[in-house]
Amino acid sequence: MSSSSYLPSWFTFGNTILAFPRSIEPLAPDFHNCDARYGTNLKTKECKWAVASMPRAREGAEVEWAVNHQGALYTLPMTLNGKKKENCAVSIEAAGPKAHYDVGVYNPPFTLKASPFQLRGLAANIVNTCVRDKIGRDGRPMEGSGGKGGFATNQIQNLADYVQNTDDLSTYPWNSTYLTVTVHPKGRDPPQAGNYDPSVAVLVAEYLKFRQRGTPRDLWNKLNRAIGDFTLRTQKMHAGGKTTPWWGATAGMADKMSYECDAELKAPAQVDCAQVEWSELGPDEEDVALGPTLSRILTSNTCQLVITAAVATVVNWGQIRVALDTLLNVCVANPIQRPTGGRAYVGTHAGVSGGIWGRQLNNITTDAWASGLTGLNALPTGINITVSATPPG
C-alpha cells in the first residue's frame, strides 16, 4: 500500500494543521448512500482535505446553522472545496420544503442546531465507504474500486416524527427539516440529495406504513393514499438528479408497473446486485431480444437477475436498467425490514408491495432517465424482471 495514497490523522493545509475526523456511522433512521451519480473518480486524499476543512467543534457541542438567512455562525447550504487544484468537495445542506433553495420560491428564515463534530464524522464515513479506493501492489488505485460520491443524513428523525404524528401531509413545517452531508466533485451545485434522492420518499412511506397499524378505517385509507403518492414520487426520482422532490405533486403520474418484494426469492447481497448493474448490463441504447424461449440470466456471486418475456419483444438495456434500478430501490437494501429479492412487471395491481427503502448500492451513472424513462413506464407489457439470491449449485 502506498503511503502517498492516504493522509495521516493530521496533516498540514498551507500553514494550518488539519485533522481528518473519526468516521461516524449514521444511526437509523439516518442513513448513507454511495452512488456514482454523486461523483466518480474521486480521490481519497483529495476528499480527506475537503472533509478536514469542515467546521469543527468539540464532541457533543451544537452550533446554529442559518437557513434562508445569514444570521447565524454558519449559513446553509455550505460547500467546502479543500485544496485549490483538487477535485473533491463536501456540501452541508438543509433538506425539506422550507429549506428548498429555489430562487423563485420565498421561504421564511429559521435556524437549525447541529453538531459540527457529528457532520464531520459522517463525511469521513462517506470517504471511507464510498470514495476510498483499493490500492494495488503497484501503489496505485485499482481500476473500478471506490471513487464514488455519496451522502448521509443527519436528524432525519425530525421528518419521521412529523410524519408519524400529523394528519396533514400537504405541508411540512420548518421543524421537519434535517441535514445532509454530500461528498462530490468540485464545481457542481450542491446536489440537494435530501430533496431529490428517492431514498427519502421511501423513508417517509415506510414510516406511514408503521403508522397505519391499528388505525381506524378512514385514517388507514388516508395514509394508504399518501403511501401511494410517495411510492409514485420514488419512481420518478433518481440519485443525483433534480427531478421530482419527495414532497412534489403527483398529478399526471400514472402508476403502470408493479414492484413486488418476495421473501421466497431470498436476499442477494447489495454489492453483488450493484456488480450486475455495473458489469453485466449492456449500454443503454443496445437492443435486447426477448421471447418465450429467449430469456436472459445475469449473475454476480449471490445476485441473480432473470429477464423473461411472454411474447417476442425487443427492448434496450436502458429500459431494463431503469426498472432494475427501481426494483433494487424497493426490495434489496432495506435496513428497517428484512431485504429480499423481488419482481418488476407491468400489471393490473400496479404499485409497491412489501417493505420499501431507498437503495444504498454503489450504482453507475446512466443517461437512461434523460430519455423520459422512469420506474413507472420503463418496460412494455409482458416483460418480467426478477432479482433473487443465486440458486445453490
Side-chain angles (χ1 to χ4, degrees):
M1 179 179 297
S2 170
S3 60
S4 64
S5 299
Y6 298 99
L7 296 174
S9 60
W10 63 269
F11 45 93
T12 60
F13 186 3
N15 295 320
T16 304
I17 296 179
L18 299 179
F20 185 68
R22 185 181 78 227
S23 176
I24 298 176
E25 281 273 356
L27 299 178
D30 284 308
F31 63 96
H32 78 268
N33 186 357
C34 300
D35 198 302
R37 280 166 286 191
Y38 292 111
T40 57
N41 300 314
L42 296 174
K43 302 294 189 295
T44 301
K45 180 177 179 180
E46 296 178 2
C47 291
K48 283 192 171 186
W49 282 114
V51 172
S53 66
M54 294 173 67
R56 66 187 65 201
R58 61 180 173 80
E59 184 173 359
E62 292 188 331
V63 302
E64 292 187 336
W65 303 77
V67 183
N68 305 323
H69 70 108
Q70 296 184 343
L73 180 61
Y74 301 116
T75 300
L76 300 177
M78 172 187 290
T79 297
L80 296 310
N81 285 315
K83 296 181 74 173
K84 185 175 181 180
K85 294 184 179 180
E86 296 184 344
N87 189 39
C88 190
V90 178
S91 288
I92 307 170
E93 303 171 86
K98 299 301 182 185
H100 191 222
Y101 34 96
D102 183 337
V103 294
V105 176
Y106 170 77
N107 282 315
F110 61 94
T111 301
L112 298 173
K113 285 191 173 182
S115 163
F117 183 91
Q118 182 78 12
L119 297 176
R120 286 166 58 87
L122 292 172
N125 180 257
I126 297 169
V127 172
N128 289 341
T129 56
C130 305
V131 178
R132 191 159 192 167
D133 38 33
K134 296 179 181 177
I135 305 301
R137 293 182 178 179
D138 60 358
R140 299 188 179 188
M142 296 171 62
E143 184 178 354
S145 68
K148 299 178 180 65
F151 77 96
T153 67
N154 179 244
Q155 301 182 24
I156 204 169
Q157 187 70 52
N158 295 342
L159 177 60
D161 288 344
Y162 178 76
V163 166
Q164 292 187 95
N165 293 289
T166 185
D167 290 330
D168 182 8
L169 292 174
S170 65
T171 183
Y172 296 86
W174 71 268
N175 58 0
S176 66
T177 303
Y178 56 97
L179 293 94
T180 59
V181 179
T182 308
V183 177
H184 59 89
K186 190 184 296 185
R188 64 177 290 178
D189 292 337
Q192 298 193 52
N195 292 331
Y196 295 109
D197 196 279
S199 55
V200 180
V202 179
L203 172 79
V204 177
E206 193 73 55
Y207 272 93
L208 289 174
K209 291 176 75 174
F210 284 134
R211 190 172 175 225
Q212 268 187 314
R213 298 171 182 174
T215 58
R217 191 66 185 177
D218 287 350
L219 180 56
W220 192 96
N221 288 335
K222 180 179 179 179
L223 294 172
N224 205 50
R225 287 192 295 272
I227 291 168
D229 287 344
F230 279 103
T231 299
L232 285 173
R233 294 182 189 118
T234 300
Q235 297 177 45
K236 287 285 286 185
M237 300 162 72
H238 64 88
K242 295 179 181 178
T243 51
T244 299
W246 56 261
W247 64 86
T250 57
M253 292 187 187
D255 197 348
K256 299 176 181 179
M257 290 189 61
S258 293
Y259 293 88
E260 291 185 351
C261 305
D262 187 344
E264 292 187 1
L265 295 173
K266 304 191 183 302
Q270 300 171 31
V271 65
D272 294 337
C273 290
Q275 187 67 18
V276 171
E277 191 171 8
W278 179 276
S279 300
E280 302 299 327
L281 270 61
D284 287 343
E285 67 280 359
E286 183 178 298
D287 286 340
V288 184
L290 300 164
T293 61
L294 186 61
S295 59
R296 295 293 183 102
I297 301 176
L298 306 174
T299 302
S300 178
N301 294 325
T302 67
C303 185
Q304 177 175 276
L305 169 65
V306 179
I307 310 166
T308 60
V311 296
T313 306
V314 176
V315 295
N316 60 47
W317 286 115
Q319 292 173 267
I320 293 170
R321 178 169 281 118
V322 172
L324 175 62
D325 196 71
T326 304
L327 180 59
L328 297 176
N329 181 44
V330 168
C331 298
V332 174
N334 192 328
I336 288 183
Q337 297 189 24
R338 186 166 62 88
T340 70
R343 303 178 185 86
Y345 58 92
V346 177
T348 55
H349 300 289
V352 171
S353 65
I356 51 179
W357 182 267
R359 186 162 63 86
Q360 297 183 35
L361 297 180
N362 298 330
N363 196 11
I364 62 171
T365 299
T366 177
D367 294 325
W369 288 268
S371 66
L373 291 175
T374 71
L376 305 174
N377 63 7
L379 298 178
T381 301
I383 293 184
N384 188 311
I385 290 179
T386 302
V387 171
S388 67
T390 304

